[in-house]
């Protein structure tokens, strides 16, 4: 596990969670859930300093940096999961629509 204080620009994908799509949702429910997850993540990020941690692969197939966002030893992704706004990433995308 390697820690970085920043990513030097570029897109970052949070590596430990699966969140609903906003850009190409499959249904209105997915869009609403995605917006809620995005807004909550933004609020969490703005609460104070955090680290971007490499765990496993550093870059995905689309060239995005894969990082776990950590504050005080806890993944912010895990917090989103606990709040029902995301799922733990298990290597497969699953549908968010009922």
């Amino acid at each position: 596990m390697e820690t970085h204080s920043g990513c030097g620009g570029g897109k970052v994908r949070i590596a430990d969670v699966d969140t609903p799509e906003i850009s190409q949702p499959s249904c209105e429910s997915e869009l609403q859930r995605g917006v809620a997850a995005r807004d909550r993540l933004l609020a969490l990020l703005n609460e104070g300093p955090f680290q971007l941690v490499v765990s496993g692969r550093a870059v995905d197939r689309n060239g995005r940096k894969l990082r776990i966002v950590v504050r005080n030893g806890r993944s912010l992704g895990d917090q989103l999961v606990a709040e029902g706004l995301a799922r733990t990433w298990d290597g497969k995308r699953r549908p968010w629509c009922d």
Side-chain angles (χ1 to χ4, degrees), residues 8-68:
K11 290 192 177 195
V12 175
R13 183 182 189 293
I14 300 176
D16 59 342
V17 294
D18 176 29
T19 56
E21 290 292 329
I22 295 173
S23 62
Q24 295 181 353
S26 295
C27 62
E28 183 61 28
S29 173
E30 181 175 24
L31 175 61
Q32 291 173 1
R33 291 174 175 179
V35 168
R38 179 202 62 202
D39 292 350
R40 180 63 176 134
L41 177 61
L42 183 59
L44 289 170
L45 293 172
N46 285 323
E47 286 179 7
F50 56 87
Q51 296 79 41
L52 298 174
V53 179
V54 176
S55 179
R57 292 185 313 152
V59 179
D60 73 6
R61 67 177 184 244
N62 297 314
R64 295 174 297 190
K65 297 169 186 169
L66 295 170
R67 302 293 186 267
I68 297 174

Side-chain angles (χ1 to χ4, degrees), residues 50-93:
F50 56 87
Q51 296 79 41
L52 298 174
V53 179
V54 176
S55 179
R57 292 185 313 152
V59 179
D60 73 6
R61 67 177 184 244
N62 297 314
R64 295 174 297 190
K65 297 169 186 169
L66 295 170
R67 302 293 186 267
I68 297 174
V69 184
V70 177
R71 177 180 294 125
N72 299 324
R74 182 170 186 213
S75 162
L76 297 186
D78 285 347
Q79 187 164 347
L80 291 175
V81 171
E83 294 176 10
L85 297 169
R87 293 188 282 239
T88 300
W89 177 248
D90 63 6
K92 290 185 172 183
R93 292 202 53 85

